[in-house]
Amino acid sequence: MRAIQITEFGGPEVLVPTELPDPEPGQGELLLDVSLIGVNFADTHQAENSYLAPSSLPMVPGGEVAGHTADGRRVVGLLSGSGGYAERAVVDPNLAYDIPDGVSDAAALALIVQGTSAWLLLRKTTRISPGESVVVHAAGGGVGTLAVQLAKQFGAGRVIAVASTEEKRKLALELGADAVVDSAAPDMTAALIEANEGRRVDIILDMVGGRVTDESMRALAPFGRLGFYGMASRELPSPVKLPNLMRFSTTVGGMWLPHAFLLPGDVVGQAMNELFTMVAEGSLRPILGQTYPLAEARRAHEDLRSRGTVGKLTLDPSL
């Protein structure tokens, strides 16, 4: 089968098209003929071995695929760390979800990581209450475009979208944001408070890191919460000083999707069912970005790292 393999860690240049044997499913596992592959920002960290879970070589990167089982089911699934950038992939049935009618493969891929991440950040990490203000950094990305919409669906009083281009900020307004902020604002604290009509904000969803995180935290209202789920800038924010959390009555929480599968009650399944229903009914609109041929995975990573992309990126193994 055709696949992308990494034999040394590094940037997008380490993603090399190759031919590999088909994967062999273990007992109870599902072998999928892959129709579409999801590309996540975490994949760029995986390629350079800077992700939360360490990688080992050689490796086929990628953690999510949509495809068909041998008996014809249309499934979207997560892989155990890697193996997604290929024509065939093996998934654990506990990490796979049947795609309902009315939801495309691309939309399902936009939901299984980005959609569930946005849902968890709002429902679990920051525990949104009706009427609260929500800041969404990277609002033009896969998580951001869904988080803007879900925040409104979950009763946010005011949604502030932060994005790097005029095109992304315009899209955020179309998706329901009440105000937008340029991610290059020289003083993010002041920009967020101004966008919230002079008031400090209740919730911030942040996957940027560095200066943006530091200045965003200073914009939190008493009992405000920051949900941290990535570090696209590859810059560490300042260490959180515990006395300051008490001084300002603020909370900082992290979210890593694999931990959601450890929660009782199939929380991810609950999120997927809710998200699938919203998409099928038309109340949630996954923003589908560019689809690249499988062999151009390097270009997809280059584009993603440049922060010039909008919405969910995918690879098509048939191209």
Side-chain angles (χ1 to χ4, degrees):
M1 68 175 184
R2 294 188 306 131
I4 299 295
Q5 189 177 54
I6 294 174
T7 57
E8 60 178 326
F9 294 121
E13 72 281 354
V14 303
L15 300 172
V16 179
T18 189
E19 290 282 339
L20 294 174
D22 287 355
E24 293 289 339
Q27 186 173 4
E29 292 182 321
L30 300 175
L31 177 64
L32 296 186
D33 286 318
V34 176
S35 58
L36 209 58
I37 301 156
V39 179
N40 295 306
F41 207 93
D43 299 350
T44 70
H45 286 287
Q46 188 181 49
E48 61 187 17
N49 201 25
S50 62
Y51 197 46
L52 294 175
S55 303
S56 58
L57 298 175
M59 174 183 63
V60 174
E64 59 179 36
V65 295
H68 291 83
T69 63
D71 58 1
R73 292 166 53 202
R74 193 164 61 101
V75 168
V76 63
L78 295 173
L79 288 83
S80 300
S82 61
Y85 288 16
E87 290 183 298
R88 293 174 188 85
V90 170
V91 298
D92 182 333
N94 295 313
L95 305 179
Y97 304 90
D98 288 299
I99 304 173
D101 294 339
V103 179
S104 68
D105 288 356
L109 284 169
L111 298 179
I112 194 167
V113 169
Q114 279 87 4
T116 54
S117 293
W119 191 96
L120 286 161
L121 284 161
L122 290 165
R123 291 286 201 205
K124 292 290 186 181
T125 308
T126 62
R127 297 185 181 274
I128 185 173
S129 293
E132 291 188 310
S133 55
V134 178
V135 172
V136 179
H137 283 291
V143 175
T145 52
L146 292 166
V148 166
Q149 298 175 74
L150 289 177
K152 291 302 258 188
Q153 293 273 357
F154 297 164
R158 188 168 177 84
V159 175
I160 299 160
V162 184
S164 59
T165 67
E166 185 64 34
E167 176 191 11
K168 292 180 180 181
R169 293 190 289 273
K170 180 180 178 182
L171 173 61
L173 291 170
E174 292 173 0
L175 295 176
D178 299 288
V180 292
V181 170
D182 189 337
S183 61
D187 185 340
M188 187 58 69
T189 305
L192 295 180
I193 292 172
E194 180 182 358
N196 199 35
E197 300 179 319
R199 301 182 301 274
R200 294 182 178 275
V201 300
D202 298 306
I203 290 173
I204 298 171
L205 307 185
D206 176 31
M207 56 85 67
V208 180
R211 175 188 72 88
V212 168
T213 302
D214 294 338
E215 295 182 0
S216 295
M217 281 191 62
R218 291 195 283 272
L220 282 172
F223 298 100
R225 290 89 71 201
L226 184 144
F228 191 75
Y229 67 102
M231 200 165 60
S233 69
R234 286 172 164 76
E235 297 175 0
L236 287 171
S238 299
V240 174
K241 297 180 179 179
L242 296 182
N244 283 341
L245 299 182
M246 182 174 65
R247 179 184 177 191
F248 299 106
S249 294
T250 53
T251 299
V252 178
M255 196 284 292
W256 190 35
L257 184 59
H259 289 146
F261 292 95
L262 304 178
L263 295 172
D266 190 16
V267 171
V268 175
Q270 177 188 344
M272 287 297 290
N273 287 335
E274 186 174 348
L275 294 167
F276 276 147
T277 298
M278 294 168 72
V279 170
E281 292 176 348
S283 59
L284 182 67
R285 173 188 165 199
I287 302 302
L288 306 181
Q290 186 169 350
T291 296
Y292 302 77
L294 176 61
E296 295 184 19
R298 171 177 177 169
R299 183 162 66 90
H301 277 221
E302 290 171 343
D303 291 349
L304 190 59
R305 290 180 60 145
S306 74
R307 300 185 67 185
T309 63
V310 174
K312 180 65 180 179
L313 304 187
T314 52
L315 302 174
D316 188 336
S318 71
L319 299 179

